[in-house]
Amino acid sequence: MSWYRRSKLGFNTISRYFTSKFTVIKPPIRNPPSTFTYASNNPIRVPKISPFSPSIINNKTSNIQSIGNSYRNYYVDSRQVRHFKPRGFKRWIDNPRNVLIVVLVGSGVGVTMYFGNVETVPYTKRRHLVLLSRNVEKMIGESQFENMKAGFKGKILPAMHPESVRVRMISKDIIEALQRGLKKETVWMDLSYGAESDPTGGATERRGKEAVMAMTEETGGGDKWMGKDEVLNDVWVDESRKKGKGKDKAVKSATTHLEGLKWEVLVVNDRVVNAFCLPGGKIVVFTGLLEHFRTDEEIATIIGHEVAHAVARHAAEQITKNLWFTIGQLILYQFVMPDLVNTMSNLLLKLPFSRRMEIEADYIGLLLMASAGYDPRVAPKVFEKLGQVSGDSALRDYLSTHPSGKRRSKLLSEASVMQEAISIYREAIAGREVDGFFL
């Protein structure tokens, strides 16, 4: 029996030797491939498994499967489930940390841009955001002025033409009045302006009647400036002025953009009823406007209004607002029809802002012409006549960039600014110039 045991032991030894040489031990699979879940935390480089290539996995030493140079990231959770990283580019928004960083940085940049570029409009004390620098605004105005001179070549009246001389002299008076209005940091305020604090609204009615009485007393006329068919007021101007001239705030108006301007006047022989003032002090008047408005007071009203746009930096403000409107529209395009977004943004945002700037320019221009020695009581009639020439309609107060002539006339005649303008005008014709009435 001993020889049998020795023979069996030798046979088993030889069998185990050859089996270890030719047999591949397959590791156990903990989860089938169909149950793999995906995640993106703590990736480890491992190769992809190909059904056509042999592979060996040693669970005790590594989680790496080597098949050529093809690798894929994954990690093993506490339940020994392998989570593979999805292929392709990973979006930054998928990481909450990146989203938080973007929100914080964007908020900081937005706050810095706002408080670094917000300005106060002279007289009205309205605060507005202007992202366009003064130099860029000036360059844009000068470039447009040169392009306009090239476009109207042959239609520009010579400097010695009577109409050119007349417009240039009126403009000179307006610009000199502007310099006086910005000379010192004081706010011109008539004593009757203190009635603005009446919470019942009676102050608006009283100051309108007082303005009408002053106009009637000076002119001897009986024009009915009060109208009941429209609800008109200048409350937003009154409130912004009260905030701007408060003792604790002492808001300083932005006037540095008016320093060192090279003012130029251009009269174009064209039947267009229009006039404008480009940034940088470039005034353009068309002869079509001069055909309808012949007196110096009427022309001074128009030029004062256009110069007021440059004083309030309305062109730069409009560019800034259009930038925000465009960003908002691009966001809404993802949820609402583009045509609906464009229509609603025009009706509810762009057009109301434009009409508000026109009213603001009317107020500032009224003070300019009064300081220049031109009767401000003519201004309401000028804007009413301008509305008739351009074709006023009931929808213009809602569908146009400019308010109707009737509305502008009512606002100017009833506003407290008319009382201030009349007081400044009386001082001007008496030879006592009023400084600092804008600030």
Side-chain angles (χ1 to χ4, degrees), residues 73-89:
N73 298 331
Y74 84 100
Y75 79 98
V76 180
D77 62 11
S78 60
R79 297 182 180 180
Q80 299 301 315
V81 177
R82 284 176 286 186
H83 301 263
F84 286 88
K85 180 182 178 181
R87 295 178 182 273
F89 178 75

Side-chain angles (χ1 to χ4, degrees), residues 123-401:
Y123 176 73
T124 62
K125 298 299 179 182
R126 181 176 65 91
R127 295 176 66 81
H128 62 164
L129 178 65
V130 179
L131 298 178
L132 200 67
S133 67
R134 297 170 180 83
N135 293 332
V136 174
E137 179 188 18
K138 183 178 178 180
M139 290 174 56
I140 292 176
E142 293 176 349
S143 176
Q144 292 179 344
F145 189 64
E146 294 298 328
N147 294 336
M148 184 164 297
K149 288 195 293 186
F152 288 106
K153 188 177 181 179
K155 293 186 176 182
I156 300 176
L157 297 182
M160 298 306 296
H161 192 279
E163 296 290 5
S164 298
V165 174
R166 183 187 182 197
V167 173
R168 189 166 63 250
M169 295 303 296
I170 297 174
S171 301
K172 182 175 179 294
D173 294 337
I174 297 293
I175 301 306
E176 290 178 350
L178 172 62
Q179 300 301 327
R180 291 194 298 270
L182 303 175
K183 187 173 295 186
K184 62 181 180 180
E185 283 292 325
T186 57
V187 178
W188 173 265
M189 185 180 68
D190 192 61
L191 295 177
S192 59
Y193 194 73
E196 65 183 9
S197 60
D198 189 352
T200 62
T204 302
E205 182 179 0
R206 284 198 300 271
R207 67 169 177 253
K209 292 180 179 179
E210 291 169 0
V212 173
M213 291 175 61
M215 295 169 64
T216 306
E217 177 184 354
E218 296 287 341
T219 59
D223 295 332
K224 296 182 180 180
W225 296 101
M226 299 290 290
K228 297 182 179 180
D229 55 336
E230 293 184 72
V231 179
L232 303 169
N233 59 69
D234 61 345
V235 175
W236 68 273
V237 179
D238 292 345
E239 293 183 353
S240 61
R241 292 202 75 197
K242 286 190 293 184
K243 293 178 181 179
K245 66 185 179 184
K247 295 182 180 179
D248 297 333
K249 299 187 177 183
V251 178
K252 182 179 180 181
S253 300
T255 60
T256 55
H257 62 285
L258 300 173
E259 299 175 357
L261 293 184
K262 183 181 178 182
W263 293 90
E264 297 184 53
V265 180
L266 196 67
V267 180
V268 180
N269 185 18
D270 196 288
R271 297 184 63 85
V272 176
V273 183
N274 193 17
F276 51 84
C277 179
L278 296 172
K282 313 302 179 183
I283 302 173
V284 180
V285 179
F286 292 86
T287 55
L289 183 73
L290 302 178
E291 293 176 0
H292 294 277
F293 302 96
R294 301 302 304 172
T295 66
D296 291 352
E297 286 77 10
E298 291 177 332
I299 299 174
T301 301
I302 302 297
I303 296 178
H305 169 86
E306 301 303 334
V307 171
H309 281 302
V311 172
R313 298 193 69 189
H314 284 163
E317 181 184 3
Q318 188 65 44
I319 294 175
T320 302
K321 280 187 169 62
N322 289 338
L323 174 62
W324 298 125
F325 291 156
T326 302
I327 295 175
Q329 287 176 339
L330 292 177
I331 296 175
L332 292 177
Y333 285 164
Q334 311 301 320
F335 311 99
V336 187
M337 295 177 56
D339 293 340
L340 180 61
V341 172
N342 294 335
T343 302
M344 297 307 295
S345 63
N346 284 331
L347 291 178
L348 301 179
L349 296 175
K350 292 184 178 180
L351 295 180
F353 279 134
S354 177
R355 292 191 293 267
R356 189 170 186 174
M357 288 190 291
E358 293 297 329
I359 293 175
E360 187 174 51
D362 290 346
Y363 284 13
I364 297 175
L366 191 70
L367 298 181
L368 283 175
M369 66 175 297
S371 179
Y374 298 97
D375 193 346
R377 294 163 297 183
V378 178
K381 301 177 182 179
V382 171
F383 288 112
E384 189 172 4
K385 182 179 179 180
L386 183 62
Q388 296 173 357
V389 172
S390 58
D392 263 349
S393 65
L395 297 178
R396 185 162 186 175
D397 287 333
Y398 307 97
L399 303 179
S400 177
T401 57

Side-chain angles (χ1 to χ4, degrees), residues 35-107:
T35 62
F36 285 176
T37 58
Y38 293 88
S40 59
N41 299 327
N42 304 326
I44 301 176
R45 304 284 298 182
V46 300
K48 293 185 297 185
I49 302 176
S50 174
F52 303 100
S53 302
S55 62
I56 299 176
I57 301 179
N58 189 348
N59 293 330
K60 295 182 179 180
T61 59
S62 175
N63 281 331
I64 299 182
Q65 300 173 343
S66 174
I67 302 178
N69 293 324
S70 179
Y71 292 92
R72 190 172 184 180
N73 298 331
Y74 84 100
Y75 79 98
V76 180
D77 62 11
S78 60
R79 297 182 180 180
Q80 299 301 315
V81 177
R82 284 176 286 186
H83 301 263
F84 286 88
K85 180 182 178 181
R87 295 178 182 273
F89 178 75
K90 181 183 177 182
R91 298 183 303 173
W92 65 271
I93 199 173
D94 294 335
N95 193 335
R97 181 180 299 177
N98 294 338
V99 176
L100 179 60
I101 292 175
V102 170
V103 171
L104 293 178
V105 173
S107 301

